[in-house]
Amino acid sequence: MADEAAQRPGPPAGRPGGGRDLTTGRIAPTLLAFALPTLGSSILQSLNGSINAVWVGRFLGEDALAATSNANIVMFLCMAFVFGFGMASTILIGQAFGRRDVDGARRVIGTALGAFILVAVAIGVLGWIFAPNLLKLLATPAGAAPLALAYLRVIFIAIPSSLILIMLMMAMRGAGDAMTPLWFMILAVVLDSGLNPVFILGLGPAPKLGIAGSATATVIANYASLAGLMIYMYVRDLPLRLRGKELAYLKPDPAILKTILVKGLPMGLQMIVISASALALVGLVNREGVATTAAFGVAMQLWTYLQMPAMALGAAVSAMAAQNIGAGKWERVSAITRSGVMFALLITGVLVVLLAIADRPALALFLGGNSPALGIARHIQLLATWSFLMFGVTLVLFGTVRANGSVIGPLLILFIGLVPVRLGFALGAYPRLGADALWLSFPVSSFSNMALGIAFYLHGGWRKSRMQIGGRPAPVGEDECIEEALADAEPGGRLNPAG
């Protein structure tokens, strides 16, 4: 049956809302056209977090702002594993669409959803229970701890919808559809940012919930967007919807699930490494006082605008490379990577310059013009912001190698850059540089990640790795090396802590 499914043609490239063929046409324009909706979704997501931070900071003060910063780091940590599985599913779906195997793509999304809906619910329940313990691990300042707990516990109610929504949006991009996720990201952002002041202040019939009101707005927005997306998928008959007998695909296929776990776990561990590094750094920052913690939280809000273009381009490069690898068009993969690096440097560079020019008014949006944290935040920006140019290059390179199932190299590189390099520098230089050692650790670790990423891309042998389902390798092109990665030998392994 699987062999028959592999021969089924996919939807035509121009099918409305049905995805896009990324294996033909000029590479740079195709990549940019595909990346722009993803970039729009990323910017909207960042804007949503920033608007919510403005509401919290202006209405509830710096303690509340520091509380949301600490709580968001915990959220990222809890979501990391499922995010890795979503990335693995996206790559398999992209390769299936490259082979025109729509039924195979539906089997992947069915297994992914069937397995990880329960995981998402479990994360929400356990997060609610253990939220106080998680905040203690962060050494959350005493003034912010009660607020952080109130916010975090409500946010964990939103976790199941957030994870399922992220997985569906990633899967659609793997199928070449970047516009549908954009529309439903707009819906989520409008609801979340619009309802924040309503529930914080108790406007109209809404109850006055304070910081928990900000989280309540997120709950409503995420569940409404997820419901809307599911309805839209069936009304428009999008390729990844499941109907009739296809609903049986929700019972996880052991071979597909094994592939998602083996490849997704290292990618999830990459997110764990990022969040663990951020957790350790936040713990060090918290010891500098509430003003510095608030300043760092606001700096991270602005950094999302610097990260998101590179993250969107990395995701677009990965989806485009996966389709071309699935189609056996290896000659296009290197050109896709070069175009991604060029766009990442250009877009990120423009944003770095703009932020350097307008840092004071941008930071004052969150803190107010007279806040003692404003000067600290400007100093952090000066020392660390330019590191995101190197971060963008690294993400594009990682997006390409992951598209072929090579996940251990990026994991090791991130671990080296973010643990011994970043934390080692921060701790080692602190006696001499004070808090500046914390901020300078960002460019130091970014340079390490980029240098190692370039070396791995050029000489790491990642082209020999190959995504496969169970023991059945996917069809490959004549020019592809047929040596298989030994999956069993690998380790069982909206906040964006800066990379």
Side-chain angles (χ1 to χ4, degrees), residues 27-210:
I27 287 172
T30 301
L31 175 63
L32 188 60
F34 181 64
L36 283 176
T38 305
L39 175 59
S41 296
S42 301
I43 291 175
L44 283 170
Q45 191 174 21
S46 302
L47 183 63
N48 182 51
S50 298
I51 292 172
N52 293 349
V54 170
W55 293 132
V56 171
R58 288 300 184 91
F59 293 148
L60 302 174
E62 290 178 5
D63 280 350
L65 194 60
T68 59
S69 175
N70 279 258
N72 285 339
I73 292 285
V74 174
M75 284 174 54
F76 182 87
L77 177 64
C78 295
M79 295 171 66
F81 274 122
V82 174
F83 184 75
F85 300 138
M87 291 173 68
S89 303
T90 298
I91 293 168
L92 287 173
I93 289 168
Q95 292 189 1
F97 267 79
R99 299 189 304 271
R100 303 298 192 268
D101 180 7
V102 178
D103 187 72
R106 289 173 182 161
R107 291 175 183 272
V108 172
I109 191 62
T111 291
L113 289 175
F116 297 114
I117 285 175
L118 295 177
V119 174
V121 173
I123 289 175
V125 173
L126 293 174
W128 172 279
I129 295 171
F130 293 107
N133 308 78
L134 293 170
L135 292 173
K136 286 180 182 178
L137 288 176
L138 280 178
T140 304
L147 295 170
L149 180 60
Y151 177 83
L152 186 59
R153 277 194 154 155
V154 179
I155 279 293
F156 270 116
I157 298 173
I159 286 289
S161 63
S162 299
L163 296 180
I164 297 167
L165 189 61
I166 288 170
M167 184 169 285
L168 283 173
M169 287 181 172
M170 293 173 70
M172 287 181 168
R173 293 183 185 116
D177 181 4
M179 286 304 300
T180 299
L182 174 61
W183 297 127
F184 287 93
M185 180 60 69
I186 291 173
L187 174 62
V189 168
V190 169
L191 289 175
D192 196 356
S193 59
L195 291 175
N196 249 263
V198 173
F199 287 103
I200 289 175
L201 300 176
L203 302 179
K208 183 177 181 180
L209 300 176

